Amino acid sequence: MRVRDFEGWLAESLTVQPWAGTVVRWSTDGGPKPFGVTLAGKVNMQFVKAESGQVWTGTWEQPDPAPAVSAAPTDPPSWAQAVADVIRAGQHPGVKQVQTYAEWGGSTKPGGVRVELLDGSQFYGSILGR
């Protein structure tokens, strides 16, 4: 899956979440990656795609954004859980699995999500600060 496709879908899905407030998309180094979102004007979450998936060759049809998910995040782990819940609720056809870093156990960071895609690639989203 292309970075911009996932980024656009995630940003749209977060925009409909009452707890997310204003969602601002941004990227570093002028790239398409890494990319990030700022939620509620205070929480920055940066996503990086691991380069292990297949090259995207198909056409893209943007699925509907995720429905509203009940959450009241207050710290990095709860923000990560809320974002993971949104991704799960969206039932994106390209997403195979979503785990918070706590569920995954593969990172020592206090908050983040690991998104495994059907093409074998993965996105890692880490809370950078509040």
Side-chain angles (χ1 to χ4, degrees):
M1 181 184 306
R2 293 181 298 195
V3 172
R4 286 290 181 220
D5 295 333
F6 180 75
E7 174 192 6
W9 177 83
L10 179 60
E12 281 186 52
S13 295
L14 290 170
T15 299
V16 302
Q17 306 304 318
W19 48 266
T22 301
V23 177
V24 177
R25 295 164 62 177
W26 49 270
S27 60
T28 59
D29 301 323
K33 55 187 178 182
F35 75 89
V37 292
T38 300
L39 305 167
K42 61 184 174 184
V43 176
N44 295 318
M45 188 169 203
Q46 178 174 304
F47 284 82
V48 177
K49 182 179 182 185
E51 298 298 330
S52 62
Q54 302 169 4
V55 176
W56 178 264
T57 58
T59 58
W60 174 258
E61 291 186 31
Q62 186 80 329
D64 291 335
V69 170
S70 179
T74 58
D75 60 5
S78 64
W79 278 99
Q81 184 66 56
V83 171
D85 290 345
V86 167
I87 297 169
R88 287 183 189 115
Q91 299 180 1
H92 189 293
V95 173
K96 179 179 179 182
Q97 176 177 249
V98 180
Q99 298 170 303
T100 65
Y101 284 175
E103 294 165 336
W104 172 46
S107 177
T108 58
K109 294 181 180 180
V113 297
R114 175 179 170 262
V115 183
E116 184 180 353
L117 306 174
L118 289 176
D119 69 3
S121 60
Q122 298 175 32
F123 282 96
Y124 296 91
S126 299
I127 302 293
L128 299 179
R130 298 186 44 196

